[in-house]
Amino acid sequence: MLQLFTWRVVVFFFFWLFLQVLVSNAAGIDNYEEARRKMVKAIESDVRETSLYINKKSLDPRVMSVMGRVERHKFVPSAEQSRAYANQPLPIGHGQTISQPYIVALMTDLISVDPEDKVLEIGTGSGYQTAVLAEMGAEVFSIEIIGPLASKAAKRLQESGYDRVKTRQGDGYYGWEEEAPFDAIMVTAAAGHIPPPLIRQLKPGGVMVIPVGSRFMVQQLVLVTKDGAGALTTRQILPVRFVPLTGEH
Ligand code: SAH
């Protein structure tokens, strides 16, 4: 009798333990989903607040859906996990930052990525923006100048299933000649001028988004459009603050 009772207690205990694990796992998933939903709301609110600059009241729904999907917590250091979905830039080591989600969404919207577009990104950093571009369906090429960041991002992208993305370590000022021309180019570090090699590597009809300005002055996010005949048009979108584009150029 006593033995049967003990067995029941043991079975009940393990069943209870199993339920606890299930519940906490489900809660974990929900927490991130909920956090992403809040992040998307914060982006929407920033878009409305800056609508006079960016000339629209909402971004491409495809971009917003990708922002609600990509797991930003996988791209931020463990010390920053609790802030992974805050609408703010975060440190990623080596004096660099992962951009604010609103800026990531805006820049992705500005280059209007279509599936199968060939996109060059300069400044892989954490790899988060790279993942966003890959989720848009683009064929992404990304260059990072800091060795350890480049290898960490490459590994992280691979592990997260973004295996079509190609990354390399180097000075993005010179672009990726062997893979040019590109439908779109995104530079995520501020340059003193628009690098001529990047302009050359842009397809006719292509677009480039790049923060232009120096470290201690206001930088402007600039949209560069190359028309079918190769003529360039530039448009200043809004003031921003990015880490500088470094290198020997
Ligand atoms: N897109 C990144 C943002 C990283 S911050 C993200 O989502 O996390 C900008 C990155 O540009 C930094 O990692 C910096 O090391 C890199 N960078 C600076 N100058 C560069 C250059 N000349 N070529 C390639 N990468 C550069």
Side-chain angles (χ1 to χ4, degrees):
M1 186 64 194
L2 187 72
Q3 227 175 9
L4 188 63
F5 179 74
T6 319
W7 266 110
R8 277 188 185 159
V9 168
V10 169
V11 168
F12 178 78
F13 173 72
F14 278 105
F15 184 63
W16 176 81
L17 209 64
F18 172 72
L19 279 184
Q20 290 299 309
V21 170
L22 265 190
V23 166
S24 63
N25 275 347
I29 293 166
D30 279 345
N31 278 346
Y32 285 126
E33 274 185 4
E34 181 56 23
R36 273 197 294 276
R37 252 195 300 277
K38 282 194 183 140
M39 184 189 82
V40 165
K41 292 267 170 258
I43 297 171
E44 285 168 352
S45 147
D46 273 3
V47 167
R48 281 192 299 273
E49 269 171 35
T50 54
S51 61
L52 284 181
Y53 285 104
I54 64 178
N55 238 337
K56 52 181 124 193
K57 291 201 168 64
S58 61
L59 302 183
D60 182 345
R62 291 178 307 143
V63 174
M64 295 312 286
S65 138
V66 165
M67 296 305 292
R69 257 196 336 261
V70 178
E71 301 185 301
R72 196 169 192 255
H73 65 276
K74 293 198 173 155
F75 295 87
V76 306
S78 38
E80 302 294 337
Q81 283 300 305
S82 62
R83 279 181 288 270
Y85 291 100
N87 188 21
Q88 63 179 66
L90 295 170
I92 54 169
H94 304 269
Q96 307 304 319
T97 51
I98 174 173
S99 306
Q100 180 190 4
Y102 158 71
I103 290 289
V104 172
L106 175 64
M107 289 174 83
T108 309
D109 176 275
L110 283 169
I111 60 168
S112 42
V113 186
D114 284 319
E116 305 311 318
D117 271 2
K118 231 175 154 176
V119 179
L120 174 66
E121 180 197 19
I122 308 302
T124 319
S126 66
Y128 176 67
Q129 173 75 74
T130 325
V132 168
L133 292 168
E135 283 280 347
M136 292 293 294
E139 189 186 358
V140 192
F141 297 83
S142 186
I143 309 177
E144 168 59 51
I145 203 165
I146 299 177
L149 284 181
S151 44
K152 222 190 277 176
K155 186 162 170 272
R156 194 179 281 148
L157 286 162
Q158 184 78 31
E159 283 170 359
S160 306
Y162 298 105
D163 38 19
R164 276 178 68 212
V165 168
K166 292 183 190 68
T167 57
R168 79 171 192 200
Q169 194 245 321
D171 187 348
Y173 181 92
Y174 303 100
W176 196 320
E177 192 69 60
E178 310 86 287
E179 293 294 345
F182 298 95
D183 297 286
I185 299 179
M186 182 186 288
V187 184
T188 64
H193 59 268
I194 302 169
L198 297 185
I199 293 176
R200 279 198 296 277
Q201 291 176 24
L202 197 58
K203 261 186 204 168
V207 283
M208 166 162 41
V209 65
I210 176 170
V212 181
S214 64
R215 194 198 280 259
F216 302 110
M217 286 169 68
V218 177
Q219 304 158 4
Q220 285 288 337
L221 192 62
V222 175
L223 187 67
V224 183
T225 312
K226 191 188 247 189
D227 72 12
L232 297 178
T233 318
T234 60
R235 177 159 78 92
Q236 289 193 4
I237 308 293
L238 85 169
V240 285
R241 195 188 305 167
F242 277 82
V243 295
L245 189 77
T246 58
E248 298 298 316
H249 51 265

